[in-house]
Amino acid sequence: MSDEAKAKKKKGGSMKMIIMLVIATLVGGAGAAGGLYAAGFFSHKEEGPKEDPNKPVLVLAGENAEEVAKAHGMGGAGHGGGAAIAGHAPGKGIDLPTPTNPTAYQATYFQLQAPFTSNMSDSDAFAQIALAVSTYYDMRVIEAIKTHEMAIRSQVLMLLAQQPETMLATPDGKKELQVKIKAVINDVLKQKTGYGGVDNVYFTNFVIQ
């Protein structure tokens, strides 16, 4: 065999080896890439549900409700106390749970300025009540009450007009009315902002005449 023939044979063998190495590399790379894809390396990372920035948060004992609200966006664009939740369906909302250990959290109180006056459902008498509310959540709950006070007053007066004098004359009747008013206020807040947050309602004046 001539030197030229030997050189050609050697060159052909070398090319074949290179091609095989390239193929092996590609196959190996594809396999590795497939393994990474199967492991989710190239897939879009799914994120869990995002916390709504408008949702009031609990205020720990010793904290300031207004400062906590500001730290979570109160006063910023789209984060005011009366701002509607993006995508919030009218008439629906979430009841913010009462803490299982209230002593660990700071209660904030708010007095509704004007009293509520209404006739009774079973007599010519009328009731006049003054209300205060409390919340363990930040100041956005109180700001929402201020913003939507007209809607709250309307619903409370309608509720008050449905109460019989005989019921409101008893301590149990007054306690029952407290529970009803709390539910009415939270319902208005849920409809308007997406969240309730009122923990309790207090009578600061109660007169039936």
Side-chain angles (χ1 to χ4, degrees):
M1 184 180 293
S2 66
D3 292 340
E4 185 179 351
K6 288 181 180 179
K8 287 183 178 180
K9 185 176 180 180
K10 186 177 181 180
K11 184 178 180 181
S14 298
M15 287 298 295
K16 186 175 181 181
M17 181 64 69
I18 292 172
I19 292 171
M20 290 178 66
L21 287 171
V22 170
I23 292 173
T25 302
L26 290 174
V27 171
L36 290 172
Y37 182 82
F41 187 80
F42 296 112
S43 61
H44 177 68
K45 185 178 180 182
E46 292 186 4
E47 297 180 357
K50 294 182 178 179
E51 187 74 12
D52 192 326
N54 290 279
K55 181 181 178 181
V57 298
L58 288 166
V59 179
L60 294 173
E63 290 185 334
N64 182 280
E66 187 171 0
E67 292 301 320
V68 172
K70 288 180 179 178
H72 287 80
M74 187 180 78
H79 298 290
I85 303 300
H88 166 59
K92 295 183 179 181
I94 298 173
D95 279 313
L96 297 177
T98 298
T100 54
N101 181 21
T103 58
Y105 300 95
Q106 181 69 49
T108 301
Y109 298 90
F110 175 69
Q111 173 79 51
L112 281 78
Q113 295 304 312
F116 297 78
T117 305
S118 175
N119 292 328
M120 300 287 91
S121 64
D122 63 343
S123 72
D124 294 332
F126 67 88
Q128 184 177 80
I129 61 175
L131 295 178
V133 299
S134 67
T135 180
Y136 287 107
Y137 289 84
D138 66 57
M139 203 66 180
R140 284 174 290 183
V141 174
I142 302 301
E143 291 302 319
I145 292 172
K146 294 177 182 178
T147 299
H148 303 291
E149 184 174 354
M150 185 176 293
I152 290 171
R153 294 188 66 82
S154 175
Q155 292 301 311
V156 170
L157 286 171
M158 288 177 63
L159 174 65
L160 192 57
Q162 296 168 7
Q163 310 308 309
E165 180 184 0
T166 52
M167 186 193 79
L168 295 187
T170 67
D172 287 343
K174 290 180 174 68
K175 289 180 181 178
E176 184 178 338
L177 181 60
Q178 276 182 301
V179 173
K180 291 178 179 178
I181 292 175
K182 172 188 169 182
V184 162
I185 294 174
N186 278 325
D187 283 346
V188 172
L189 295 182
K190 287 187 292 182
Q191 291 169 6
K192 301 296 185 181
T193 71
Y195 297 102
V198 171
D199 174 71
N200 209 345
V201 168
Y202 306 89
F203 296 127
T204 56
N205 191 37
F206 200 118
V207 177
I208 297 178
Q209 293 182 337

